[in-house]
Amino acid sequence: MSQLDAQWFAEVSDMWPGRALAINCRKKLVDCQTPYQHIELYETTDCGKMLVLDDVIQFTEDDEFAYQEMLAHLPLFSHPDPRNILVIGGGDGGVLREVARHDSVEHIDLCEIDAKVVEVCRQYVPSMACGFDDPRVAVTIGDGFQFIRDHRNCYDVIIVDSSDPIGPGEKLFGDEFYALMKEAIKPDGIIATQGESFFMHWQVVRDLMQVVRRHYRYSTYCYMMVPTYPGGTLGVCLGSQQRDVTVPCRRPSPELQAQLRYYTPEIHRAAQILPAFGERVVYEGGGGYNRNASGN
Ligand code: SPM
């Protein structure tokens, strides 16, 4: 909890000096340390349950749909017939929930490093952990880096739902991991990865997109609004060797579209329209919005 008030959780980060995002909490439900991270789960006053890993908000139930829908449906609707899917991270089950909405999907592997995240979300957050109940899902508790090393040429879509590049998520932002993902997807497969915020972490986004472009012939960067992440936005990086990922090649059925709250084919395209400084960060290796940002 922060010094503001005993009831408030405030996310304060060196990546975002001098500012904080605060969420009012009614009760702390879980507080434990695992070999990988410090896990906290709160019942908030207005945003449902909130998962915090190493002091960083991972989701609130109130607006998690924006992130999970975009991370899952951007790649899945860019593929004409996605059948075999891998989710790295995503131990809360929210991305699984979205992937499972696609009838073409036959099998979903999920590899999460921390069994406790899955356990906590299954116990306290069924609105997201319902994704684990789908019979097509196979869960592996282990290192995503190692998992991907052991798989070759087998996935239509790989989704990386990671925490930030500090702590257990760090390896998932590097050149070697993107090279391994390229081997694990089929030649016409698609990757979608947690792409941070060009407002908050422009150096991370700049470097990440340079890695994506180095490994994938087709790539793009999309962003979505998530009010309970500091900065209010988060990105998704898409990459493929053979598929144009900038346009959806299928539309949700009317029944599926009625279940979605964020993704539409129109937002798939619109999410790639960036402000001028965002264009420079993502496509030209430029600095952030601050006029003093030097590109370093
Ligand atoms: N399924 C939800 C897991 C969330 N993964 C992404 C978490 C990112 C948290 N930090 C965002 C920083 C934005 N400035």
Side-chain angles (χ1 to χ4, degrees):
M1 297 283 187
S2 79
Q3 300 96 331
L4 294 175
D5 182 301
Q7 294 233 296
W8 291 84
F9 171 87
E11 182 174 332
V12 184
S13 166
D14 290 346
M15 295 169 87
W16 194 38
R19 286 154 280 189
L21 178 83
I23 306 282
N24 201 4
C25 297
R26 185 173 287 132
K27 195 170 164 192
K28 195 187 258 199
L29 301 169
V30 175
D31 188 341
C32 65
Q33 180 67 43
T34 75
Y36 304 103
Q37 55 209 344
H38 179 204
I39 301 179
E40 295 166 273
L41 187 82
Y42 293 91
E43 186 182 303
T44 72
T45 55
D46 297 277
C47 304
K49 308 272 181 12
M50 173 173 73
L51 179 70
V52 176
L53 299 179
D54 287 341
D55 300 321
V56 175
I57 297 167
Q58 300 301 307
F59 66 75
T60 69
E61 277 186 295
D62 185 56
D63 59 19
E64 54 82 8
F65 68 91
Y67 172 79
Q68 329 289 345
E69 286 190 19
M70 290 293 269
L71 190 56
H73 300 308
L74 286 167
L76 285 163
F77 280 116
S78 299
H79 195 293
D81 189 24
R83 293 171 186 229
N84 203 23
I85 316 298
L86 169 63
V87 179
I88 301 274
D92 49 60
V95 169
L96 288 179
R97 180 194 66 203
E98 296 306 319
V99 171
R101 295 188 197 277
H102 290 253
D103 292 337
S104 65
V105 169
E106 294 170 351
H107 183 83
I108 315 169
D109 277 322
L110 177 132
C111 182
E112 160 66 49
I113 198 162
D114 197 338
K116 192 73 183 171
V117 171
V118 178
E119 185 191 315
V120 164
C121 293
R122 287 194 108 147
Q123 181 173 356
Y124 292 101
V125 198
S127 63
M128 295 173 74
C130 59
F132 288 103
D133 299 335
D134 192 283
R136 295 167 291 179
V137 172
V139 177
T140 300
I141 299 300
D143 181 2
F145 207 91
Q146 190 54 48
F147 189 94
I148 211 135
R149 217 196 282 276
D150 296 340
H151 290 78
R152 288 280 180 276
N153 192 27
C154 54
Y155 293 109
D156 298 303
V157 171
I158 296 178
I159 298 171
V160 182
D161 178 13
S162 69
S163 47
D164 295 331
I166 298 167
E170 189 176 354
K171 285 192 295 187
L172 308 183
F173 285 75
D175 199 78
E176 198 183 343
F177 185 67
Y178 277 80
L180 288 170
M181 281 198 287
K182 192 165 63 183
E183 302 300 315
I185 51 172
K186 294 175 186 167
D188 64 348
I190 297 172
I191 60 144
T193 61
Q194 197 266 89
E196 293 296 344
S197 159
F198 54 78
F199 245 107
M200 311 299 302
H201 316 303
W202 62 268
Q203 295 96 331
V204 177
V205 175
R206 175 198 63 188
D207 296 351
L208 196 50
M209 282 306 289
Q210 284 172 354
V211 169
V212 177
R213 276 196 295 275
R214 208 161 30 243
H215 289 287
Y216 299 90
R217 181 164 173 226
Y218 297 96
S219 64
T220 193
Y221 183 89
C222 302
Y223 76 99
M224 84 290 296
M225 294 171 274
V226 189
T228 59
Y229 285 146
T233 61
L234 209 65
V236 174
C237 306
L238 296 174
S240 179
Q241 293 297 75
Q242 294 185 4
R243 293 196 182 282
D244 178 2
V245 284
T246 60
V247 285
C249 64
R250 296 182 294 124
R251 294 185 73 88
S253 65
E255 296 75 29
L256 174 52
Q257 186 64 74
Q259 293 167 34
L260 302 180
R261 287 185 281 170
Y262 200 99
Y263 180 88
T264 64
E266 292 70 34
I267 205 113
H268 189 130
R269 295 165 193 265
Q272 296 163 75
I273 309 296
L274 307 178
F277 81 89
E279 284 273 335
R280 289 194 283 271
V281 167
V282 169
Y283 296 108
E284 296 164 25
Y289 66 91
N290 188 315
R291 286 186 181 280
N292 298 321
S294 63
N296 292 314

